[in-house]
Structures are given as C-alpha cells and as structure tokens.
Amino acid sequence: MFLRNCWYVAGWSDHFPEDALMARTIVGDPIVLYRKRDGGVVALEDRCCHRLAPLSRGRKEGDDLRCMYHGLKFAPSGKCIEIPCQDIIPSTAVVRSYPVVEQDCWVWLWMGDPALADRALIPGALNHDRPDWFMQTGHLAYDANYELINDNLLDLSHLSYVHENTLGRNSMSWRESRPKVTQIERGLRIRRWVVNQPAPGYLGLPPETRTDMWASYDYMVPGVFLLATQSFQPGTAAACGMQAPSSEPLWRVATSQAVTPITERQTVYYYSGCLERKRATEQNSREQIAAFEKAFAEDKAMIEAQQQVIARTADTRMLRLSSDGALNQFRRLMVGLIDAERPLEVAASAAAE
Ligand code: FES
Ligand SMILES: [Fe+2]
C-alpha cells in the first residue's frame, strides 16, 4: 500500500536535462518527465490514451509531447491537442498530468488528488545548493519494499552493527545512545547525543580524535530523512545535561535522504552529503559521500536480504523491541494517512464509473 496524497522525489534536478524524456515509475504509476522551454518540469502518465504505447518513446515538440506510435500530441496539461487526420478530439483523449515542484535540487511529484497538492507539504532539504556548504548527491536502487528502508533510517542503532567498520566507526556509541522521539506535523523528530564517538575519517583528523555528537533528524511523510549533526569536544553532552547544545560546534554535517517507492518490491533512495565550507575542503566533501556510499551499500545488502527472507516466510510477524519505538510510530502514522485517503479512492472510482 502506498500513500498518494504526498510529495515523492522523482530525481535530482540534473536527472532531467533539456530535450530528454525520462521514464520513471513511482508508487506503481508509469510517468514520463520532461522540461518545457522555460525549464519547468512536466510529468505525464507514461501511457498514451490511444493504444497505450509509452509516451517516453515519444518526441518533445516545444512544450508538448507527441506519441511516436500514431502521432497524437499532448499539451503539458495532458490534454490531447492533435490527432493526425482527425478534426474532432474527444474529451477522453487525455493522459494524467501530475503536479510537479522543483525544490532543493529535487524534482517532487504529487501522486494523489491534484486538487490537494500543497507545496507547503514538501519537506525542506538541509543546506542543498547553498554557497556556504559543499553538497554531493547520489541515488541507489533497492529490490525491497520502501517500508524496510524507512524502518532502517528510523533506528540508527544499526550503525553499530550494519556499519560496524564504516559509519559505526568500530564503536558502540550509536547503540548505547537513547534517542528522544517526538511527534511533529507529518513526521517524527529524533534527537540524541552520541557520546565519545570517533571522528569521521573523511575529515582527515588525527585518528584518535573523539567527539560528543548531537544528532537530530526529522523523518517526514512519506519517507524523507533530514539529519543535522553537530560535533563537540568530549564532555559537552554531560555539560549540557544531555539537552540540545547551544554553543558553536567544531563542525556540522547535514544529509537529506528521500525514499521513493517504485513498486511494492522496488524503491529508489536519493541522498545528499553536505559539509560547511568554512570547516572542510572539497576533498573532505568527496570523501564524505564516498564514506556514505560505502555504508549505504551495507544497508542495501542487509535490507535486500531481509526482504528475501520476508518474501519466503509465510508468517512475517516481527518482534517488537523498545528500540523500535520510532519506526513503529512512523508506520502507524503512515497507516493512518493511507487509511484516511481510502474513502477518497472509493469516491473517485465511483465517480469514474
Ligand atoms: S498509441 Fe499513441 S498515438 Fe497510438
Ligand atoms: Fe544504515
């Protein structure tokens, strides 16, 4: 089951060059995306209303898209505006058009009722495309259900195990830190001190460097992870009474990540790595994203293997532990929103009949 009335990341802005037609599948819907002459992105159902050929095999003509099977031409609204050798265009000659917003270097699509598309619901990525921050980007395809990836990002205690030699830095500091989880509008806020943690290798610091790190993230519907960390001298967490710090950190790191379901068994994961320019070099930034990608390959291996076990196992009940609090809360939030839009689906299908 997917939530439809929300924004999904369809890709990084540079995934959609001028003059290209890009095919995507999001929550099971085939979509073709292209840029208009003013740079704005159009997203249409990738299925011609005539004989169901993919419009992504078509041709861009100005701001319009022509199906290259029998030549129907569609406006960015999805309305057919030309049928070769036919003067009358039936009102049913239309393909679905999806609301699109380009924000923070991401192209966001609204997959539900267009009348409900509210750009204020797009989670704001952290420090993307800012002159005072380095930013590196990437994406990863998963053969796994999106919920397993949300679960993974909602319980960072896995850093001490899945990422034992990478992000976990051979330390139990993540496992031993207890996050505080609070509900926020359409998401959860998860904060903790990670005490006496080895510094990341990508900053080129002496290997014995340790810090107390304040890690705070918002996890937003439908699966957007917005993490900011601040690192301080060891002892800072205790000096703050384990509350949020107010002093200037030694350095800051930000990463924004988006989980986009393709089908029930396929997902794409988009991520950034951001470092403040005043405290890092471009080389540090490149090494940071390389470190992230090494770790994300570890997540992928574990989660895809987990997905295979789930697929083979008739009874997929899971044991609930106290460390699962955030992921269970987020699953409940998603189920509530998905259930709430079901009457809309029923009404929409009744109206269509
Ligand atoms: S299938 Fe598109 S014009 Fe015929
Ligand atoms: Fe991970």
Side-chain angles (χ1 to χ4, degrees):
M1 292 292 291
F2 302 119
L3 183 65
R4 287 205 156 255
N5 287 309
C6 64
W7 295 97
Y8 286 99
V9 170
W12 291 101
S13 289
D14 62 8
H15 290 174
F16 305 99
E18 273 179 54
D19 297 325
L21 297 175
M22 305 303 295
R24 290 279 190 276
T25 301
I26 298 179
V27 298
D29 288 11
I31 298 164
V32 55
L33 297 104
Y34 65 93
R35 285 191 188 274
K36 294 185 291 184
R37 286 166 294 189
D38 67 3
V41 178
V42 176
L44 298 177
E45 179 181 358
D46 192 12
R47 182 167 41 205
C48 179
C49 54
H50 177 222
R51 305 298 296 176
L52 315 182
L55 291 175
S56 53
R57 295 183 71 94
R59 182 170 71 202
K60 213 175 88 158
E61 296 187 2
D63 289 348
D64 306 322
L65 179 55
R66 188 181 296 280
C67 178
M68 290 302 282
Y69 199 171
H70 313 97
L72 268 66
K73 186 157 99 165
F74 297 89
S77 65
K79 209 170 163 323
C80 178
I81 51 173
E82 189 184 314
I83 301 179
C85 302
Q86 181 173 322
D87 294 335
I88 295 174
I89 300 175
S91 59
T92 48
V94 63
V95 294
R96 182 173 175 180
S97 161
Y98 295 83
V100 185
V101 171
E102 196 165 4
Q103 180 176 301
D104 299 325
C105 305
W106 268 331
V107 171
W108 299 84
L109 296 195
W110 180 269
M111 300 303 297
D113 179 353
L116 301 178
D118 175 0
R119 67 180 294 165
L121 296 178
I122 298 176
L126 304 178
N127 305 312
H128 279 188
D129 206 22
R130 279 197 22 186
D132 49 340
W133 285 72
F134 290 112
M135 173 186 171
Q136 310 284 345
T137 68
H139 68 283
L140 187 61
Y142 267 90
D143 286 324
N145 181 273
Y146 72 99
E147 286 186 296
L148 299 179
I149 303 167
N150 284 347
D151 289 351
N152 172 271
L153 294 166
L154 283 155
D155 178 8
L156 296 186
S157 68
H158 80 267
L159 266 70
S160 295
Y161 300 98
V162 176
H163 310 305
E164 187 177 24
N165 302 314
T166 53
L167 297 181
R169 301 173 202 152
N170 299 103
S171 156
M172 283 292 121
S173 49
W174 276 98
R175 173 73 269 181
E176 286 159 5
S177 68
R178 278 259 167 171
K180 181 163 185 263
V181 181
T182 47
Q183 285 193 2
I184 56 174
E185 185 75 21
R186 287 171 77 86
L188 299 177
R189 178 159 294 160
I190 301 169
R191 304 180 132 184
R192 51 152 70 81
W193 278 102
V194 184
V195 175
N196 197 29
Q197 194 199 30
Y202 56 76
L203 288 176
L205 299 165
E208 66 281 5
T209 308
R210 288 185 170 254
T211 65
D212 284 358
M213 184 176 74
W214 174 251
S216 172
Y217 65 101
D218 290 349
Y219 205 85
M220 307 301 295
V221 168
V224 181
F225 172 85
L226 305 167
L227 170 69
T229 69
Q230 302 175 57
S231 294
F232 298 85
Q233 295 291 353
T236 306
C240 293
M242 303 306 279
Q243 300 300 310
S246 54
S247 56
E248 189 62 16
L250 300 169
W251 67 83
R252 291 185 169 84
V253 169
T255 175
S256 302
Q257 305 175 8
V259 174
T260 301
I262 305 306
T263 64
E264 291 287 351
R265 286 287 185 81
Q266 293 170 297
T267 305
V268 178
Y269 174 54
Y270 299 95
Y271 51 83
S272 66
C274 298
L275 273 178
E276 271 182 304
R277 284 180 186 262
K278 67 180 177 188
R279 295 188 173 97
T281 64
E282 190 158 11
Q283 178 66 16
N284 295 145
S285 168
R286 278 198 291 269
E287 288 181 22
Q288 180 199 42
I289 201 74
F292 284 5
E293 290 184 332
K294 196 168 174 193
F296 297 161
E298 294 169 334
D299 285 313
K300 178 175 152 80
M302 180 61 84
I303 292 170
E304 289 183 344
Q306 179 193 20
Q307 174 69 79
Q308 287 173 20
V309 172
I310 291 169
R312 286 197 301 267
T313 312
D315 179 359
T316 57
R317 285 173 63 88
M318 297 179 185
L319 174 68
R320 292 180 176 218
L321 300 178
S322 61
S323 56
D324 301 327
L327 61 90
N328 286 332
Q329 275 191 59
F330 192 77
R331 280 192 177 223
R332 278 199 297 277
L333 171 62
M334 289 291 287
V335 165
L337 291 168
I338 290 168
D339 284 350
E341 64 184 29
R342 278 208 190 133
L344 298 177
E345 279 175 24
V346 172
S349 62
E353 281 166 9

